[in-house]
Amino acid sequence: MAIAAFTNALELLTRTVFPVDWAATQNNLGNTYRNRILGDKAENIKLAIAAFINALEVRTRTAFPQNHVETLFNLGLVYQEAQRFLDAYNTYRDAIETMELLRGEIVSGDVTKRKQAEKWNELYRCMVEVCLELKEYTKAVEYIERSKTRNLVEQLFTHDSYPKVAIPEELKQQLQQLQQDIEQEKRRLEQEEKSNPQESVQPSAISNQLNLLRQQRERLITRIVGLSPISYSDIQNLLDEETAIIQWYIFNNCFRVFIITHDKEQPEIWESESQDLERLKEWFSEEYLKSYFEEKQRWRYLLSGNLNQLAEILHIQEVLSLIPSQYKKAIFVPHRYLHLLPLHALPLEMESQESELTQEYLMDRFPKGVSYAPSCQLLRFNRSQAEKISVSSIEFCNLFAIQNPTEDLGFTDIEVETVAKAFQPSFILKRSEATVGALKGYPTYNNFQNAFWLHFSCHGYFNFNLPEKSALQLADTLVSPVPENVEPRYLPVSQDAAIDLEKCLTLEDVFQLSLPHCRLVTLSACETGFSDFTSTSDEYIGLPSGFIRAGAASIVSSLWAVDDFSTSLLMIKFYENLRVLTQNVPIALNEAQRWFRQVTQSELVQWLDAVQDIEVEQKLKVKDRLEKYYKPEQQPFKHTWCWGAFCAMGE
């Protein structure tokens, strides 16, 4: 019946008289044949392809670029379903190239545009699938990366291509002028179409000029963001002979792991079964996420067992078997909701497990450190920024810290004051002094932007409705009762209280930062490594990626709500490792976590006695807590929730 209706419509909506409507109807007819249940399948495919090709005669890249992408995507799906993979590859490639030119006009944000952005994520996913069918494994990795770049770039720009990032005024003006020129040409093209509605649709001088302006805008956006498409060989050049990238990617019917090393021309690929993906989705939503938001205490109690299940679902032992023992360092590149999981803390199977003391975890397999990267492009950007940082920044000087601005974290003061004693000079905004006004005022802001080391010991929040409004909470931010018009200024944290985001340091603010000398940003706060798990976007949008984009060489962040007592001791040990053991951030963090999970109460007390930077009164406070709740032979922090939340990005 649908086919009959579209066919009847085409008798009136002819290409000569109504070319635009004719093309739209051909596109709809193609989709109907593609989804047809009755009839010969091969004949339906043939008719669908013919209809889409007809539509593309009018829906050209120059005249109607968005419609062009839509119809190309539909055509590619038919080719893919018919197993004409080379045709699908060429069609998807043209669709992606056109769509990327439109990134200034297809910007994520409101609901409609978010749905549109998620549709284009599906386009990239289909392209990756086709590359795998064609055994173009390196191309598959490259298109995974292109998808991730597109989403982050869109997040960094407003609807009128106004950059949210700190850039020279000259580039900002160039971009705004280009956007104005594009809007002007679009209006001229609209007028031309209205005045000549019955003429055959052909690329005009106006549409050609519009296309040229879009190409110029794309080149300028790439220059501003510093994230150009990355080739497989570029990714390999980021690695030495001891480092492997382990990249996960979630498809509709499975998930795959891509293992990239310096010496192999193709990635090693491990593929799950469809039931593994179903188990993963159920485990994440029910066992992990629902439990976390409903009752965090119970979630903590069950975490170790749940991570055992996750290791089994992800087939970690099988994945590790594909990585030769010569690789001592791993860089994890998760995908979608996997960004929220402590992959480094997954337990490994052991031949004989005598006690929890001998339990090994995934990070133990890589003695030269486990780090994370949102994408390989951000990893390259991060490396480039790290190489620019002056040699002096690896010394322990120029620390800037935010200390307990809400004054409700009992051990945070001990953490910051102990860590700061190793740095000369150091600048600390303490307690009620740590307001947004103080942070942005001179000379504090100058100290902040030029710090070699940044340490935030406070509360952190991820804003799932508006990721760019995710924030580090500063002083004087709590509002009660909750105002009527909550978003976007206020983030509710309980039934009767909300946080005023204009008085916080938000991700939007971080995007505006330039941190040319920053060696490390430590986000010693809750949930600072969160990203939006509700979206099908391929990109990690969160505080760590913001600080990487601002120029920081390394970021340490948390994957859940952490306890300030255990966090304070872990952080003191982490910085001690940076000074004494190694200045490699992932190794220093991993070693701190390894020590922390195994240390006994009596060994902790001995360690505290040896740490000279902790004040006597503060040592007594920590010892009282340890001796009150734990026996000398007990391991206070052996459970994963105590030590596993923190992960490192960068070097």
Side-chain angles (χ1 to χ4, degrees):
M1 291 171 67
I3 289 169
F6 289 134
T7 303
N8 289 339
L10 287 169
E11 292 179 9
L12 178 62
L13 300 174
T14 64
R15 177 175 177 178
T16 305
V17 182
F18 300 105
V20 176
D21 296 313
W22 175 83
T25 306
Q26 289 282 4
N27 182 74
N28 293 337
L29 182 60
N31 277 328
T32 309
Y33 274 120
R34 176 186 162 232
N35 296 314
R36 190 183 189 192
I37 298 169
L38 299 178
D40 180 70
K41 184 176 180 181
E43 182 65 17
N44 287 335
I45 288 171
K46 179 181 175 182
L47 291 169
I49 290 170
F52 289 135
I53 289 174
N54 284 340
L56 288 168
E57 291 177 8
V58 171
R59 292 183 155 194
T60 63
R61 177 177 182 173
T62 307
F64 301 102
Q66 292 199 37
N67 296 135
H68 183 67
V69 175
E70 180 186 1
T71 302
L72 280 175
F73 186 19
N74 293 335
L75 178 58
L77 288 170
V78 177
Y79 283 140
Q80 186 177 356
E81 289 162 6
Q83 297 190 4
R84 292 171 57 175
F85 296 119
L86 187 57
D87 288 327
Y89 176 87
N90 291 329
T91 305
Y92 288 148
R93 181 195 60 203
D94 293 345
I96 287 170
E97 287 176 357
T98 305
M99 188 267 296
E100 287 178 347
L101 279 181
L102 297 171
R103 74 164 91 225
E105 294 152 57
I106 305 176
V107 182
S108 55
D110 57 44
V111 174
T112 302
K113 288 176 180 175
R114 174 169 170 169
K115 287 180 179 177
Q116 193 175 36
E118 291 179 353
K119 179 180 180 180
W120 302 137
N121 290 335
E122 188 181 351
L123 168 59
Y124 282 101
R125 179 184 53 73
C126 290
M127 180 54 136
V128 174
E129 289 172 346
V130 166
C131 289
L132 293 172
E133 292 288 352
L134 292 170
K135 298 188 177 3
E136 294 283 353
Y137 302 131
T138 62
K139 286 287 184 188
V141 173
E142 289 171 0
Y143 275 104
I144 287 172
E145 287 296 319
R146 280 174 77 163
S147 174
K148 292 182 175 184
T149 298
R150 181 186 66 82
N151 284 284
L152 180 58
V153 169
E154 288 175 6
Q155 193 70 36
L156 295 177
F157 289 83
T158 59
H159 67 279
D160 56 356
S161 283
Y162 187 88
K164 298 177 183 177
V165 293
I167 62 169
E169 190 63 33
E170 179 188 354
L171 294 182
K172 189 180 293 186
Q173 290 176 2
Q174 286 180 33
L175 183 61
Q176 289 166 343
Q177 184 60 55
L178 265 175
Q179 188 63 20
Q180 289 173 15
D181 293 344
I182 287 170
E183 292 302 318
Q184 183 178 339
E185 293 302 310
K186 284 168 69 176
R187 287 192 293 271
R188 288 180 62 198
L189 187 62
E190 215 174 286
Q191 289 300 319
E192 184 179 66
E193 291 166 0
K194 285 179 181 177
S195 59
N196 301 298
Q198 295 184 356
E199 287 190 7
S200 178
V201 179
Q202 294 293 335
S204 65
I206 296 175
S207 56
N208 286 330
Q209 175 63 14
L210 180 58
N211 208 39
L212 181 64
L213 289 169
R214 283 171 170 149
Q215 290 172 349
Q216 292 175 6
R217 177 182 59 192
E218 174 65 13
R219 288 193 293 269
L220 186 58
I221 285 175
T222 299
R223 182 182 170 193
I224 288 171
V225 177
L227 293 174
S228 56
I230 190 168
S231 68
Y232 191 79
S233 59
D234 290 335
I235 297 172
Q236 286 184 297
N237 288 336
L238 298 171
L239 305 174
D240 57 30
E241 63 279 0
E242 291 187 307
T243 305
I245 287 175
I246 305 173
Q247 183 171 43
W248 284 263
Y249 194 79
I250 298 172
F251 296 83
N252 280 348
N253 60 346
C254 70
F255 57 87
R256 290 182 174 91
V257 183
F258 297 80
I259 299 166
I260 305 169
T261 54
H262 180 74
D263 57 339
K264 287 198 173 181
E265 293 182 0
Q266 304 266 14
E268 288 278 357
I269 302 175
W270 182 88
E271 181 179 348
S272 79
E273 300 290 337
S274 59
Q275 58 264 33
D276 293 321
L277 178 59
E278 292 307 311
R279 285 184 66 200
L280 176 61
K281 289 192 287 191
E282 184 180 356
W283 177 91
F284 179 73
S285 61
E286 294 296 325
E287 303 299 326
Y288 195 81
L289 209 60
K290 185 180 178 183
S291 173
Y292 179 79
F293 285 112
E294 285 183 352
E295 191 181 343
K296 287 186 174 61
Q297 192 60 40
R298 181 174 179 273
W299 177 89
R300 289 170 176 167
Y301 177 76
L302 296 174
L303 181 60
S304 294
N306 281 334
L307 290 181
N308 268 310
Q309 291 181 42
L310 179 60
E312 181 186 332
I313 293 168
L314 294 179
H315 294 267
I316 285 300
Q317 299 290 155
E318 291 179 38
V319 172
L320 285 178
S321 71
L322 299 175
I323 306 173
S325 58
Q326 73 190 68
Y327 295 100
K328 309 293 186 186
K329 178 181 176 182
I331 301 170
F332 295 161
V333 183
H335 185 221
R336 291 175 55 190
Y337 49 83
L338 295 180
H339 284 293
L340 273 68
L341 304 178
L343 300 172
H344 63 284
L346 291 179
L348 299 180
E349 293 177 8
M350 300 177 64
E351 292 181 7
S352 61
Q353 185 173 324
E354 297 176 2
S355 68
E356 289 193 28
L357 182 63
T358 60
Q359 172 66 60
E360 287 191 339
Y361 297 85
L362 186 52
M363 69 180 191
D364 298 327
R365 167 65 176 76
F366 302 99
K368 292 200 172 179
V370 168
S371 63
Y372 289 76
S375 68
C376 293
Q377 293 105 318
L378 271 175
L379 177 64
R380 179 176 63 178
F381 182 86
N382 177 244
R383 290 278 178 87
S384 174
Q385 293 299 105
E387 289 169 3
K388 295 176 186 175
I389 293 174
S390 63
V391 177
S392 61
S393 66
I394 66 173
E395 297 174 359
F396 282 76
C397 57
N398 290 358
L399 170 77
F400 184 95
I402 298 290
Q403 176 181 323
N404 196 13
T406 50
E407 303 188 42
D408 59 351
L409 298 169
F411 292 88
T412 288
D413 296 316
I414 298 175
E415 172 190 326
V416 176
E417 288 165 15
T418 302
V419 167
K421 284 184 180 176
F423 294 87
Q424 295 297 330
S426 62
F427 190 98
I428 305 173
L429 275 181
K430 295 184 178 183
R431 294 180 163 254
S432 61
E433 297 172 359
T435 63
V436 70
L439 180 63
K440 294 183 177 180
Y442 185 84
T444 303
Y445 192 69
N446 187 54
N447 289 326
F448 176 34
Q449 294 244 83
N450 289 293
F452 293 171
W453 309 78
L454 286 173
H455 189 95
F456 295 88
S457 198
C458 55
H459 291 294
Y461 297 95
F462 188 82
N463 192 326
F464 289 102
N465 294 327
L466 296 166
E468 66 273 20
K469 295 292 185 182
S470 301
L472 295 168
Q473 189 178 358
L474 300 178
D476 190 30
T477 54
L478 207 60
V479 178
S480 185
V482 179
E484 289 184 12
N485 299 319
V486 174
E487 292 183 354
R489 177 168 177 173
Y490 299 98
L491 179 67
V493 290
S494 67
Q495 288 186 340
D496 57 354
I499 293 170
D500 185 348
L501 294 172
E502 290 190 4
K503 295 182 178 182
C504 297
L505 183 69
T506 65
L507 177 55
E508 207 167 33
D509 297 325
V510 174
F511 281 144
Q512 290 288 346
L513 293 175
S514 175
L515 303 172
H517 313 295
C518 188
R519 176 72 180 85
L520 170 67
V521 176
T522 301
L523 303 175
S524 180
C526 297
E527 301 175 355
T528 49
F530 264 27
S531 61
D532 185 4
F533 59 85
T534 64
S535 170
T536 63
S537 166
D538 288 347
E539 187 54 89
Y540 176 103
I541 305 294
L543 289 165
S545 58
F547 279 106
I548 287 176
R549 178 56 191 77
S554 296
I555 320 292
V556 168
S557 60
S558 65
L559 295 172
W560 54 76
V562 291
D563 168 68
D564 76 305
F565 177 63
S566 58
T567 297
S568 297
L569 296 178
L570 179 64
M571 285 296 148
I572 292 170
K573 183 63 177 180
F574 166 54
Y575 279 91
E576 178 185 286
N577 285 350
L578 284 173
R579 289 198 323 273
V580 178
L581 183 65
T582 175
Q583 291 198 347
N584 182 288
V585 171
I587 296 177
L589 179 61
N590 292 166
E591 287 300 323
Q593 291 169 315
R594 195 172 288 115
W595 170 83
F596 202 54
R597 74 181 196 236
Q598 295 175 352
V599 70
T600 64
Q601 182 252 50
S602 60
E603 289 169 339
L604 268 170
V605 171
Q606 291 174 19
W607 170 74
L608 282 167
D609 287 334
V611 179
Q612 296 180 352
D613 290 336
I614 304 180
E615 297 288 346
V616 174
E617 227 175 275
Q618 294 176 335
K619 282 185 183 181
L620 290 174
K621 182 178 178 181
V622 175
K623 285 181 181 180
D624 284 346
R625 170 105 174 219
L626 287 171
E627 290 167 357
K628 181 178 180 181
Y629 292 103
Y630 307 100
K631 296 177 181 178
E633 68 278 8
Q634 278 187 293
Q635 298 165 306
F637 308 112
K638 65 181 179 181
H639 298 294
T640 311
W641 70 265
C642 297
W643 59 266
F646 288 96
C647 53
M649 289 185 183
E651 293 300 312

